[in-house]
Amino acid sequence: VQLQASGGGLVHSGGSLRLSCVASGGTLSRQMMGWFRQAPGKEREFVSAISWDGGIKFAADAVKGRFAISKHNANNTIHLQMNSLKPEDTAVYYCAAGPTENWPRPDRLDSWGHGTLVTVSS
């Protein structure tokens, strides 16, 4: 599965951005797709994930109530709507896909997209 992420950019604190990730070249049944992020000097951390049938969603505590993940099966796309952004949300955001049971362990996920940079200014 190939993943292509987009939607990063520069936004002021309190603003919003919407990330998208398009999957191609494979089947996503019984898999989850989602997002990780990595800030400078820090380890990659889980953000949010969604199952392909949409029945399972979960998110990191740091983003609950501010970020919302959704999917659009018709074009194999997931979105991450990020609201009330904070400077500490600044990071490179990576889209990933893998078996449901392997989330949220990044070392167990099969497919990764190139990152998209999100910068939140104070």
Side-chain angles (χ1 to χ4, degrees):
V1 176
Q2 290 77 48
L3 304 174
Q4 180 67 48
S6 62
L10 172 64
V11 65
H12 290 300
S13 181
S16 298
L17 282 175
R18 188 189 195 213
L19 304 184
S20 299
C21 180
V22 181
S24 62
T27 179
L28 291 164
S29 61
R30 290 191 286 276
Q31 293 208 29
M32 298 192 80
M33 285 181 65
W35 299 90
F36 289 78
R37 65 187 183 185
Q38 188 165 18
K42 295 187 177 181
E43 293 186 353
R44 191 168 296 190
E45 65 173 1
F46 167 73
V47 176
S48 189
I50 186 169
S51 61
W52 203 243
D53 65 0
I56 303 172
K57 296 180 186 181
F58 57 104
D61 289 343
V63 306
K64 283 180 181 177
R66 300 188 298 123
F67 291 11
I69 194 167
S70 62
K71 63 174 181 63
H72 192 278
N73 283 353
N75 55 9
N76 287 348
T77 302
I78 64 168
H79 303 286
L80 185 70
Q81 179 65 42
M82 305 186 295
N83 299 324
S84 302
L85 281 161
K86 305 174 182 179
E88 50 263 45
D89 294 318
T90 295
V92 177
Y93 283 70
Y94 295 91
C95 180
T100 300
E101 62 269 21
N102 290 355
W103 283 82
R105 291 277 303 271
D107 57 310
R108 294 186 175 184
L109 299 179
D110 304 320
S111 302
W112 292 86
H114 295 293
T116 184
L117 177 62
V118 172
T119 304
V120 185
S121 63
S122 58

